[in-house]
Amino acid sequence: RIVIELKLKHNNSLETVIDEGLKQTAKYMDKTGAKEAYLIIFDQDNENWSRRIFIEKRTYHNIEITVFGM
């Protein structure tokens, strides 16, 4: 099982959206027993593609989640 969570970034800061997404993704992982998870954030506010697109690993309560910015 793999969890894939999608978030749209509107007016909140990117860190706020990531923090909320990590919490929700970890909860879904716990409910489903998934061992792998991806959080994908679509940034509608940022027109700078070099800042909008990224891949990084984050840890939330000892759970590693890969975060993609688009």
Side-chain angles (χ1 to χ4, degrees), residues 2 4 15 17-18 21 28 40 42 46-48 50 55 66-69:
I2 298 172
I4 301 172
E15 277 306 309
V17 175
I18 290 173
Y28 291 151
I40 302 169
F42 294 98
N46 193 346
E47 294 182 16
N48 184 339
S50 64
I55 301 171
T66 303
V67 181
F68 294 87

Side-chain angles (χ1 to χ4, degrees), residues 20-67:
E20 291 171 359
L22 290 172
K23 180 179 178 182
Q24 189 172 18
T25 303
K27 186 187 295 186
Y28 291 151
M29 288 180 73
D30 185 49
K31 284 183 179 182
T32 64
K35 302 293 183 207
E36 192 173 341
Y38 301 94
L39 172 60
I40 302 169
I41 300 170
F42 294 98
D43 186 349
Q44 298 178 324
D45 298 333
N46 193 346
E47 294 182 16
N48 184 339
W49 282 95
S50 64
R51 294 178 67 189
R52 180 188 279 191
I53 296 179
F54 63 88
I55 301 171
E56 60 187 42
K57 300 242 185 227
R58 294 280 186 113
T59 302
Y60 181 84
H61 294 254
N62 295 323
I63 299 170
E64 186 175 272
I65 299 171
T66 303
V67 181

